[in-house]
Amino acid sequence: MYKDGDMIIDPEYQRYYRWKIEQRSSFIESMILGIPVPSIFVSQDGNGKWDVIDGLQRISTLLQLAGELKNEKPLVLKGTKFLPALKDKNWETLGSNFQRIIKRRRINAIIIDSSNNTSIKYELFQRLNTNGTTLSPQEIRNVVIAMANHELFRETNSLSRNEIFRKITNNITKKQKSEQLDKELIDECYILLTVSAESMNPSDDLQDFITNSLIDNTKLLENLDSNKENMLSVFKLMAKILGENASKAYKNGKYENRFIRPIFEMTFVYTAFHKEKIRDKNELLEQYHKKIVDSSLYKKVTRRGIRPVDRIKNILLAKGDLHVKDANKNS
């Protein structure tokens, strides 16, 4: 099925949680020893083709061992706890007995028919990887977006590595970066440019809100290039005028170093809605940014107990008005 293109293993989202060589060797050991292996989940389209939803590493490990995984060198195993003799073995040197055992092993496949409902595979992937997983919400979203729209997935990765974006978010911590906050911010900026505040439900979970607002966003997906350019133009203005202070709080005459998400969001929204005025008069953005922390809007969106989507809705409704008292009358 894999050789004929009837089973899709997409390397673009596979790489986000690639097994280490020790994990792959351990899996092959389990296959040989007869240790039970979890089922794989696939979605089947109207033509009968499979899109692997859960089980990418198990399938790709077997294919790599057999030397069939595209763009990968054949797998050379490491010695394992119960089979140390696997060290430096590949498929050819594994021996006919072990080869025969692996070829006869059964792995159950749960097939989900997505021919009439393409969104079911995204929902299934999220459910399979939300509970009891070490993946961050953004890592899960990466895969869901890759399955839904490859171009959006690639652009998000590209923008997160952009030097200008990195400059204005240079104070993101290593831990936040390991959880892919940078990519989540890019996804959120797409939403801020293309989703109306009135359509936002303040009680929604942030991660579900971001994912659903991207997958079902016709305004974004049909005009991805122009939205990307719009986003970059906002980042350029922020970088030019505020530089590395763009996501920092200005207090007592100086900038603190800590990354503050609401400040980044408010600055992005203000810049996006007032680009032309700011281009003509750069000090407008600098003055705005220094007033954020003491503003009624900032106090409103950072008050204890406010939900993240409610915060985003308030910021977007205000469009840069720092002293709006009730930016979200409908929330």
Side-chain angles (χ1 to χ4, degrees):
M1 289 182 72
Y2 177 74
K3 286 181 179 179
D4 294 341
D6 290 332
M7 182 170 65
I8 300 169
I9 300 177
D10 196 317
E12 286 192 315
Y13 56 81
Q14 179 182 320
R15 68 187 177 191
Y16 273 97
Y17 45 101
R18 180 181 295 281
W19 275 354
K20 294 179 181 178
I21 184 65
E22 291 82 3
Q23 292 170 292
R24 282 177 270 177
S25 298
S26 180
F27 173 69
I28 297 303
E29 177 191 54
S30 296
M31 295 288 290
I32 293 171
L33 295 178
I35 296 172
V37 174
S39 300
I40 64 171
F41 287 77
V42 301
S43 73
Q44 181 169 285
D45 64 18
N47 295 317
K49 291 188 177 183
W50 286 4
D51 194 350
V52 178
I53 298 171
D54 190 71
L56 287 169
Q57 294 308 311
R58 280 161 275 162
I59 295 173
S60 62
T61 296
L62 290 169
L63 289 169
Q64 188 184 14
L65 179 65
E68 300 290 350
L69 188 61
K70 297 172 184 175
N71 302 316
E72 293 285 351
K73 294 179 180 178
L75 179 61
V76 177
L77 299 166
K78 281 200 167 187
T80 60
K81 182 177 180 179
F82 297 110
L83 293 176
L86 290 180
K87 184 180 179 181
D88 297 329
K89 291 290 194 298
N90 57 29
W91 180 252
E92 299 301 327
T93 60
L94 198 56
S96 59
N97 186 39
F98 281 171
Q99 289 177 351
R100 193 175 298 112
I101 291 172
I102 291 172
K103 286 190 286 186
R104 291 176 179 176
R105 275 301 306 271
R106 179 190 180 96
I107 299 179
N108 290 327
I110 309 299
I111 305 170
I112 307 298
D113 184 2
S114 63
S115 57
N116 295 318
N117 184 1
T118 56
S119 65
I120 192 171
K121 63 183 178 181
Y122 316 137
E123 179 66 22
L124 178 59
F125 181 84
Q126 291 186 86
R127 291 190 184 189
L128 287 170
N129 289 279
T130 298
N131 298 315
T133 179
T134 56
L135 294 182
S136 71
Q138 183 61 36
E139 287 175 309
I140 293 173
R141 183 178 302 112
N142 287 332
V143 182
V144 173
I145 297 302
M147 288 192 289
N149 190 295
H150 286 262
E151 189 177 358
L152 175 60
F153 172 81
R154 287 191 291 269
E155 292 297 358
T156 297
N157 283 332
S158 174
L159 285 166
S160 70
R161 295 190 295 266
N162 183 278
E163 289 184 11
I164 297 169
F165 173 70
R166 287 188 170 184
K167 183 176 183 179
I168 60 177
T169 58
N170 76 312
N171 51 339
I172 289 178
T173 66
K174 287 183 178 179
K175 183 176 185 297
Q176 289 171 325
K177 199 155 192 177
S178 71
E179 295 170 347
Q180 303 198 27
L181 176 61
D182 51 349
K183 293 182 177 66
E184 182 170 299
L185 291 174
I186 295 294
D187 287 341
E188 184 185 343
C189 286
Y190 272 132
I191 291 168
L192 290 169
L193 292 174
T194 59
V195 177
S196 69
E198 290 77 12
S199 68
M200 297 178 182
N201 183 348
S203 63
D204 279 349
D205 172 77
L206 175 65
Q207 303 305 331
D208 289 342
F209 163 75
I210 293 176
T211 302
N212 294 333
S213 296
L214 293 173
I215 290 177
D216 302 324
N217 193 331
T218 303
K219 183 178 179 181
L220 168 63
L221 300 178
E222 291 185 353
N223 302 280
L224 192 55
D225 287 341
S226 61
N227 282 304
K228 175 188 174 181
E229 291 306 314
N230 189 12
M231 189 188 301
L232 277 172
S233 68
V234 176
F235 290 162
K236 286 176 183 177
L237 266 180
M238 291 169 64
K240 175 186 175 183
I241 300 167
L242 302 172
E244 296 181 351
N245 296 322
S247 350
K248 300 176 183 178
Y250 185 79
K251 293 181 179 179
N252 302 318
K254 62 180 181 180
Y255 283 102
E256 298 180 346
N257 190 53
R258 184 166 58 96
F259 175 83
I260 301 180
R261 187 164 180 163
I263 287 180
F264 173 84
E265 293 166 339
M266 290 175 67
T267 305
F268 179 84
V269 169
Y270 177 78
T271 307
F273 280 93
H274 303 89
K275 276 193 302 184
E276 299 309 317
K277 287 197 300 183
I278 292 170
R279 284 195 181 106
D280 292 337
K281 196 175 181 181
N282 286 184
E283 57 267 32
L284 285 176
L285 180 57
E286 186 176 359
Q287 292 166 1
Y288 172 88
H289 194 258
K290 288 182 176 180
K291 293 176 181 177
I292 287 178
V293 173
D294 295 320
S295 70
S296 58
L297 178 62
Y298 182 77
K299 292 172 183 176
K300 179 181 178 68
V301 301
T302 57
R303 72 181 186 272
R304 187 174 181 178
I306 189 169
R307 293 178 65 87
V309 178
D310 198 9
R311 179 190 75 233
I312 294 168
K313 181 170 185 173
N314 272 277
I315 291 172
L316 193 55
L317 280 171
K319 295 182 176 63
D321 184 354
L322 289 175
H323 303 290
V324 61
K325 293 182 179 179
D326 191 10
N328 192 2
K329 294 179 181 179
N330 299 320
S331 67

